[in-house]
Amino acid sequence: MTAPETEVTTPEPDAEALRDRALASLTTARARTTLLTSCVEDPDLTAQHSPLMSPLVWDLAHIGNQEELWLLRAVGGREAMRPEIDGLYDAFEHPRAERPSLPLLPPAEARGYAAEVRGRALDLLETADFHGTRLTESGFAFGMIAQHEQQHDETMLITHQLRTGPQALTAPDPGPAPLSTGPSEVLVPGGPFTMGTSSEPWALDNERPAHPVDVAPYWIDTTPVTNAAYRAFIEDGGYDTERWWTPEGWAHVRRHSLTAPLFWRRDGNQWLRRRFGITEVVPPDEPVLHVCWYEADAYARWAGRRLPTEAEWEKAARYDPATGRSSRYPWGDADPAPEHANLGQRHLRPAPAGSYPQGESPLGVRQLIGDVWEWTASDFLPYPGFTAFPYKEYSEVFFGPEHKVLRGGSFAVDPVACRGTFRNWDYPVRRQIFSGFRTARSEAV
């Protein structure tokens, strides 16, 4: 296999630029956390709205506890502020279903704790040395904590979607998609490309290291699968036809009587959905949302196609055939801007399929970043040369066939926690997450 060009590298910013980036990322995350935990009354913060999710007040204090553990203690060498609560907010010590029964900090105390930690963390940031250890190099620990908080902001938004009651969150809708006259699929050339990263300073351990991967030529959808397309699968008896499903998927469908994506219900000849406390007609042009891996896989089989592998997804998102290089994002190396992708909870729904022409890849594939997480065919496995850092519980304990990889982020993901190499994973039964998919097919021989 001929080695591909290496990934694009960018000059390391100076200390002040790193400080500014860390400050902006932490501040943006905290503003979103504050909104998500202040738009409802305290009983909604302490309630468990689904056994799949934690009470919102647990997420709030957990965010503060992780920040204290990694910034104040690990980087700053400070004494523990509240060592007695560490176990309460250890995500591996207590499953989500058990967390409401724990002696959690009440809302006001959780807010105060998180605020005090943040004040001390910002003091630490003012004098932080961005060299010397792997944890502090290029401000990694600050970036890790900003990403962690934004990941929990997405988790809390999922909880808001699961809660019953009146609408508590509002946001403007995305603009209409420009009329797309391009093809429905594009051919991605075969050959090697650089997958993963060794140069992105805030990349997490499972994204590393960069390594060559040889991919056979394949076709991939230029946009995610839409609600209208998925409805055709439903109307054609997709949920009643065993041959489209894996044995595990068919058993899951029968066991739970699945007939449509989560939050959909039929009303006469139309489908309605519940979205953050309001009921609306399912928009036909939006990417389908809240489907599990089994549903995505069954649709692809029904359509005579398949889900792309993780490597195929990343090549479509990062590879530039003109240069042979892998960029940070489909549109290049620049950080995401509003014209590139639907990110950061600016909108509380996916944009219509075909949106964001300025964010398309060199091959003409759109919406690879933002809008919906995209299921891939791949199990969550380590890359060659993987090293767990800074703790094995972030990625290593999840490796194996039990989890499927999702790529690309969703409208609920902040840019700091989303890039062309970012990897998400979940059980193939999960539907409460903001998940959709696109399909692929191998090139005809």
Side-chain angles (χ1 to χ4, degrees):
M1 176 171 70
T2 303
E5 294 281 345
T6 57
E7 61 174 330
V8 172
T9 59
T10 55
E12 181 177 330
D14 61 27
E16 285 311 305
L18 285 169
R19 228 178 298 280
D20 290 345
R21 184 188 179 202
L23 176 60
S25 299
L26 291 168
T27 301
T28 298
R30 186 52 49 89
R32 195 66 201 173
T33 299
T34 300
L35 176 63
L36 291 165
T37 55
S38 63
C39 64
V40 292
E41 300 296 328
D42 283 1
D44 268 332
L45 295 179
T46 56
Q48 186 174 47
H49 299 283
S50 166
L52 297 173
M53 311 304 292
S54 308
L56 291 168
V57 74
W58 185 92
D59 287 287
L60 175 58
H62 170 76
I63 286 167
N65 187 244
Q66 289 294 294
E67 188 166 330
E68 184 196 348
L69 286 170
W70 290 104
L71 296 187
L72 300 187
R73 300 188 209 175
V75 174
R78 311 286 174 81
E79 292 293 324
M81 292 170 55
R82 302 279 303 265
E84 74 280 4
I85 69 171
D86 286 354
L88 296 176
Y89 299 102
D90 184 334
F92 290 90
E93 190 168 328
H94 301 286
R96 287 176 175 177
E98 295 179 2
R99 292 171 190 170
S101 64
L102 300 174
L104 303 177
L105 300 182
E109 195 171 346
R111 289 190 187 100
Y113 169 65
E116 185 175 357
V117 171
R118 173 52 55 88
R120 297 185 186 190
L122 295 184
D123 289 342
L124 178 66
L125 178 61
E126 289 183 0
T127 58
D129 180 4
F130 298 122
H131 298 284
T133 70
R134 188 175 173 188
L135 194 60
T136 57
E137 189 71 30
S138 299
F140 174 81
F142 293 93
M144 179 182 72
I145 288 301
Q147 291 178 81
H148 174 265
E149 181 162 355
Q150 288 286 8
Q151 288 166 341
H152 276 272
D153 289 343
E154 181 177 16
T155 298
M156 288 192 286
L157 190 66
I158 293 170
T159 302
H160 274 280
Q161 169 64 4
L162 288 164
R163 64 176 284 273
T164 57
Q167 182 180 15
L169 295 165
T170 60
D173 287 341
L179 181 64
S180 178
T181 57
S184 62
E185 63 175 355
V186 295
L187 177 65
V188 180
F193 83 106
T194 299
M195 186 172 183
T197 181
S198 296
S199 64
E200 187 73 33
W202 289 1
L204 304 171
D205 60 1
N206 63 65
E207 301 171 65
R208 301 174 181 272
H211 59 286
V213 176
D214 202 352
V215 178
Y218 62 99
W219 295 82
I220 192 166
D221 293 339
T222 51
T223 66
V225 170
T226 64
N227 288 321
Y230 197 84
R231 178 173 175 172
F233 166 68
I234 298 173
E235 302 298 344
D236 195 45
Y239 282 87
D240 300 313
T241 307
E242 183 175 358
R243 67 191 177 106
W244 305 132
W245 302 81
T246 64
E248 298 83 3
W250 183 246
H252 181 69
V253 165
R254 298 295 94 189
R255 185 181 310 116
H256 297 281
S257 301
L258 303 187
T259 59
L262 186 61
F263 306 117
W264 285 31
R265 65 178 176 85
R266 192 188 291 275
D267 180 35
N269 292 325
Q270 65 180 354
W271 285 93
L272 304 179
R273 72 176 182 189
R274 181 168 59 83
R275 183 178 62 84
F276 299 112
I278 63 173
T279 298
E280 61 189 12
V281 175
V282 172
D285 296 334
E286 280 186 14
V288 67
L289 189 64
H290 296 303
V291 290
C292 69
W293 185 90
Y294 292 131
E295 291 168 294
D297 179 69
Y299 172 94
R301 293 168 189 263
W302 169 81
R305 299 171 68 81
R306 58 179 174 80
L307 295 179
T309 66
E310 183 181 11
E312 288 173 336
W313 188 97
E314 187 168 325
K315 186 168 187 178
R318 300 183 63 211
Y319 177 72
D320 185 347
T323 64
R325 290 182 175 271
S326 292
S327 60
R328 297 175 67 212
Y329 299 96
W331 55 85
D333 299 316
D335 288 338
E339 65 269 18
H340 292 136
N342 180 8
L343 293 166
Q345 302 185 21
R346 297 194 316 271
H347 312 296
L348 295 178
R349 64 195 308 155
S355 297
Y356 301 102
Q358 294 183 62
E360 74 177 22
S361 74
L363 293 165
V365 187
R366 294 190 183 183
Q367 293 169 285
L368 286 156
I369 298 293
D371 285 309
V372 294
W373 285 106
E374 298 185 14
W375 288 109
T376 73
S378 300
D379 298 335
F380 184 49
L381 299 172
Y383 290 159
F386 167 83
T387 302
F389 177 80
Y391 56 103
K392 68 179 182 178
E393 288 82 6
Y394 182 75
S395 302
E396 186 175 334
V397 297
F398 298 102
F399 289 146
E402 296 85 7
H403 296 92
K404 294 294 185 180
V405 174
L406 302 104
R407 287 301 207 103
S410 72
F411 64 86
V413 177
D414 188 80
V416 75
C418 185
R419 49 196 161 262
T421 58
F422 194 92
R423 308 173 75 195
N424 191 9
W425 64 93
D426 215 326
Y427 293 111
V429 299
R430 289 290 187 253
R431 304 206 301 167
Q432 83 277 14
I433 59 178
F434 300 115
S435 52
F437 63 99
R438 73 182 70 218
T439 67
R441 65 182 175 92
S442 302
E443 185 183 27
V445 178

